[in-house]
Amino acid sequence: MKLKHIAFIAGSYLPVALQAQEVTTEKDLDPVTITATLNPVASSKTGRNLFVIKGEEISKYPVHSLDEMLRYLPGMEVQARGPMGAQSDFVVRGGTFQQVLVIIDGLRVNDPNTGHFNSYMPIIPSEIERIEVLKGASSAIYGSDAVGGVIHIITKAFARQQTKGQQIQAGVTSGAYGLLNANAGGYYSGDKWTFSAGAMSNNADGQEQRGINGFFHLHSFSASAGYKINDNWRVAYRSSYDSRRFAAQNFYTSFASDTATEKVNTLWNQLSVNYHKNNNNFSLQAGQKMVDDHYAYNKISTANNNRSTLWQALATYEHRFNDAVIFTGGAQYQRKGIRSNDRGNHTVQQAAAFAALNLEASEAFTISPALRLDWNERSGYELVPQINTSYRYGKLLVRASAGKTIRNADFTERYNNYNKSLVTSGRIGNPNLSAERSFSYEAGLDFFASKQLKIATTFFQRRHTDLVDWTTTSYADMPRKDNLSRTGTYALARNISKVNTTGVEADIIWQHSFNSKRHLSVTAGFVWLNSVTSDGFTSFYTSSHAKYLTNGMIRYNVGRFNISLNGIYKVRDAQAAAGLKGVVSKEYFVLNAKAGYFIIANKLNVFAQADNVFDKSYADLLGAQMPGRWLMGGLSFRL
């Protein structure tokens, strides 16, 4: 590893940045979470490795979208296909991008058509109270897709506790290649009503690619309201619209003829009704998601038009017997559908019942068993257990977790290129795919060295059977040849008998106040992974995850001046393809920098920013070339 990489890793990112006169406490290193257990509990009592970042911190770093923010959180690998929210795949602990579940206020975001759309989170950063990232198996509570981990976004209007007051924030950024980004949002919370709304737009002509420029026009709008009916009842509602049009060259293929463009529109509606009295808490949530996807491979090809729908409902009941014993139970329903000229018209239903118990056997020892009965219209019933434990001894925390995970194939894996009259090359779906199953276990040690420093280490292993991935397959070996050309080059979605992933991760969080005007915040994440398949051939996504990954961010405040850095160093298998402009190099290091000055203290900030400071040529996936150095500047305002 190069010296500049080591220098950056020595201080890297912040989960909870320090405000101008904020005093750091151990609670900043041990925040309350709801993701691991479905009820509020300190992260040290969950037996899990969690990372929490406050929503107000997002605008302080050199990032432009939520997927870019996640890219620098410890343990997160974000395989970006395009910049500033165009498209990204989330990978946690070496799983495929479909094996990370994204949730907004308890409801699933994962798209039934393809996991590539999971980064299209229909939410505005100004609406976010916090983001919780749970690493590792979570299917016992959340069901399908919660294999590698869970990304849970909790918003201000839907949070259990509202902070009274109001806030307005806005920002604008302009730069090279026709860049113009803007965002604005507001929040109000009184005795009865809570309102939150915002808009965000990222636009650029883009840097030159092989066949076209890497343009993007990305727009999000969201509004939510909550009303406290009385001391027991509260209701909240959100509606969001997200529209993204972008260059998608080699996002899904490695062919030189691919000069694709794509437009994805998402409509999201969410309703929550909550009842709380004494030791009982009940919530009923309903959600509707509709995604229209228009994909053109090149100017002469017939475009794919896909409309996917997701209807879902979630009911949960929590009873606190006392401070040491909490029971949570619930039921979930989903109806997934697609109408497509490429994949055909299909629907599938899922339902589940689950129960979890949080037990503090003593002040130091906690144990949390959970059990889920999952039903899928195609794969039938599945019993999914999990158990988590933790033990605190002074500054040391020992934790362990073990559980089963499941995932059902999405519509792209089952039906891609299935409805066309002739397919000459590309990825071919497989309707006969079995559901993925795996067993995961982990053990970790957290060291709370001080109120400012926490070091967490975790060993984990996941043993998969029937993992779904794409593998190069000859025409003769294709199970269905009805619309295939004998001379084509194909990748078939298939179940791989066994895939075992072993890894070690470490997170470092350090926050230090030199005095009332000088603050430093540092976080770094380190991950080592090794995946082994049993079938003797290489699958696409299991071979593309990083073998070694470190990422993080530094923020330094002195008076009205502030500077932040974020970066990533990644080692993976090298790849190349004839005729493509970019390659997947064995390793890369990318650094972004942002420097600002508050013209009005803590309110009006002027900044300059450089993405990819060292002008590194790199790609996370073959052919999907990422931008080189990009210079920009702007203003941000908070009241």
Side-chain angles (χ1 to χ4, degrees):
M1 188 183 302
K2 298 178 181 178
L3 181 61
K4 65 180 181 182
H5 303 156
I6 299 174
F8 172 77
I9 293 164
S12 284
Y13 165 74
L14 152 82
V16 183
L18 296 171
Q19 297 296 323
Q21 297 181 359
E22 186 175 344
V23 178
T24 305
T25 68
E26 190 172 309
K27 289 184 179 180
D28 295 318
L29 305 180
D30 187 20
V32 172
T33 174
I34 63 171
T35 304
T37 59
L38 294 181
N39 50 71
V41 63
S43 61
S44 61
K45 296 182 179 294
T46 65
R48 308 301 303 275
N49 191 9
L50 289 126
F51 188 86
V52 181
I53 178 172
K54 290 182 178 179
E56 64 192 30
E57 307 305 325
I58 297 173
S59 62
K60 299 178 181 179
Y61 301 103
V63 298
H64 309 273
S65 59
L66 290 179
D67 61 315
E68 285 193 342
M69 187 73 223
L70 291 166
R71 192 181 189 197
Y72 303 103
L73 302 190
M76 283 289 304
E77 181 184 5
V78 176
Q79 297 178 345
R81 285 175 156 79
M84 304 189 191
Q87 192 178 103
S88 296
D89 292 341
F90 300 137
V91 176
V92 179
R93 293 185 173 178
T96 66
F97 63 93
Q98 298 103 326
Q99 294 174 349
V100 177
L101 179 62
V102 181
I103 296 171
I104 295 179
D105 294 316
L107 291 186
R108 304 167 59 93
V109 174
N110 289 39
D111 192 77
N113 180 14
T114 172
H116 293 309
F117 295 166
N118 294 347
S119 63
Y120 299 159
M121 294 166 278
I123 203 72
I124 307 302
S126 63
E127 291 189 286
I128 296 173
E129 181 192 74
R130 67 188 187 275
I131 301 175
E132 301 181 0
V133 178
L134 171 62
K135 305 171 191 177
S138 304
S139 287
I141 293 178
Y142 294 104
S144 183
D145 305 332
V147 178
V150 175
I151 300 168
H152 193 176
I153 300 172
I154 295 97
T155 66
K156 297 172 182 177
F158 280 69
R160 286 197 177 193
Q161 299 292 332
Q162 276 68 49
T163 301
K164 291 185 179 180
Q166 54 276 327
Q167 184 182 84
I168 297 174
Q169 64 183 66
V172 61
T173 304
S174 181
Y177 307 104
L179 177 70
L180 181 60
N181 296 348
N183 68 85
Y187 170 77
Y188 166 81
S189 182
D191 293 332
K192 293 286 187 179
W193 285 97
T194 299
F195 297 98
S196 180
M200 182 171 65
S201 181
N202 291 343
N203 306 269
D205 299 329
Q207 299 183 19
E208 182 181 357
Q209 296 181 334
R210 186 187 68 257
I212 57 176
N213 285 348
F215 73 89
F216 53 85
H217 301 287
L218 318 171
H219 315 293
S220 299
F221 310 90
S222 180
S224 55
Y227 180 68
K228 183 179 179 181
I229 301 172
N230 53 42
D231 290 341
N232 304 124
W233 289 93
R234 187 175 186 276
V235 62
Y237 177 76
R238 167 179 293 107
S239 185
S240 306
Y241 179 74
D242 185 273
S243 178
R244 307 189 186 218
R245 183 169 64 88
F246 49 89
Q249 180 173 282
N250 295 124
F251 276 23
Y252 313 113
T253 82
S254 57
F255 300 134
S257 56
D258 182 347
T259 57
T261 61
E262 189 164 13
K263 184 175 182 179
V264 183
N265 295 332
T266 304
L267 177 65
W268 171 273
N269 289 286
Q270 183 173 0
L271 174 68
S272 174
V273 179
N274 288 276
Y275 172 81
H276 175 77
K277 187 174 182 180
N278 299 326
N279 295 326
N280 299 294
N281 190 81
F282 173 78
S283 70
L284 178 63
Q285 299 189 73
Q288 177 254 350
K289 180 183 180 183
M290 183 171 65
V291 178
D292 286 318
D293 170 42
H294 177 87
Y295 171 80
Y297 176 78
N298 55 33
K299 291 182 178 180
I300 63 173
S301 65
T302 300
N304 290 349
N305 291 296
N306 310 303
R307 168 170 284 191
S308 59
T309 56
L310 172 62
W311 296 87
Q312 57 183 313
L314 174 66
T316 59
Y317 170 73
E318 172 194 314
H319 179 73
R320 291 179 174 264
F321 293 94
N322 50 53
D323 291 340
V325 182
I326 306 172
F327 169 81
T328 305
Q332 187 177 39
Y333 171 78
Q334 301 172 62
R335 186 182 187 275
K336 304 175 181 180
I338 190 171
R339 298 181 64 84
S340 169
N341 65 336
D342 172 73
R343 295 155 175 78
N345 302 333
H346 311 278
T347 60
V348 65
Q349 299 183 83
Q350 291 179 241
F354 57 89
L357 185 67
N358 299 334
L359 175 63
E360 292 190 28
S362 67
E363 186 175 344
F365 179 66
T366 63
I367 184 169
S368 303
L371 185 65
R372 181 184 186 92
L373 179 61
D374 200 274
W375 171 80
N376 180 278
E377 187 176 351
R378 292 186 66 252
S379 58
Y381 290 93
E382 196 81 29
L383 199 61
V384 186
Q386 182 154 342
I387 188 167
N388 312 317
T389 63
S390 68
Y391 180 77
R392 182 75 179 260
Y393 181 76
K395 295 184 176 182
L396 292 177
L397 174 71
V398 181
R399 50 184 166 77
S401 177
K404 182 179 179 180
T405 63
I406 56 174
R407 189 183 78 84
N408 294 282
D410 59 36
F411 289 127
T412 295
E413 292 169 317
R414 291 169 57 196
Y415 300 110
N416 194 57
N417 279 325
Y418 220 70
N419 209 43
K420 293 181 178 177
S421 58
L422 178 64
V423 180
T424 57
S425 289
R427 298 185 184 181
I428 308 300
N430 183 355
N432 299 317
L433 291 170
S434 300
E436 296 180 352
R437 296 172 177 84
S438 66
F439 185 82
S440 299
Y441 57 88
E442 63 183 84
L445 180 67
D446 297 351
F447 177 47
F448 294 85
S450 68
K451 293 180 180 179
Q452 294 82 31
L453 177 63
K454 175 186 174 182
I455 302 172
T457 59
T458 308
F459 168 83
F460 57 88
Q461 189 168 78
R462 183 174 59 250
R463 297 178 176 272
H464 252 109
T465 58
D466 289 332
L467 182 139
V468 177
D469 207 343
W470 304 89
T471 61
T472 301
T473 306
S474 66
Y475 172 85
D477 293 330
M478 296 297 291
R480 175 181 180 269
K481 304 180 178 66
D482 297 6
N483 62 343
L484 305 183
S485 168
R486 291 179 177 272
T487 59
T489 301
Y490 302 107
L492 176 67
R494 60 180 296 176
N495 290 110
I496 303 172
S497 295
K498 292 182 180 179
V499 179
N500 295 335
T501 299
T502 303
V504 177
E505 63 190 12
D507 305 341
I508 300 174
I509 303 171
W510 181 45
Q511 307 172 27
H512 185 68
S513 296
F514 299 94
N515 53 46
S516 62
K517 295 184 177 180
R518 293 176 58 213
H519 310 285
L520 177 67
S521 301
V522 175
T523 294
F526 308 83
V527 182
W528 171 84
L529 286 167
N530 182 47
S531 293
V532 179
T533 62
S534 65
D535 287 355
F537 51 75
T538 301
S539 60
F540 183 76
Y541 290 111
T542 56
S543 65
S544 66
H545 71 66
K547 312 301 180 187
Y548 176 84
L549 171 74
T550 184
N551 56 358
M553 206 179 288
I554 303 171
R555 181 173 174 83
Y556 178 67
N557 299 335
V558 52
R560 294 192 178 191
F561 178 76
N562 54 85
I563 185 170
S564 57
L565 304 173
N566 58 23
I568 180 171
Y569 174 72
K570 182 184 294 190
V571 178
R572 67 276 172 88
D573 292 337
Q575 301 177 46
L580 296 185
K581 182 178 179 179
V583 300
V584 171
S585 58
K586 182 178 180 181
E587 63 176 351
Y588 73 76
F589 173 72
V590 173
L591 178 72
N592 301 331
K594 182 178 181 180
Y597 180 80
F598 278 100
I599 300 173
I600 303 175
N602 296 320
K603 290 182 174 64
L604 181 61
N605 186 47
V606 59
F607 64 87
Q609 183 172 327
D611 291 355
N612 196 353
V613 172
F614 299 114
D615 199 25
K616 177 68 176 180
S617 177
Y618 76 102
D620 282 325
L621 294 165
L622 187 60
Q625 194 70 10
M626 294 296 290
R629 184 187 297 115
W630 206 325
L631 302 178
M632 62 200 72
L635 294 167
S636 63
F637 175 78
R638 180 188 295 267
L639 179 63

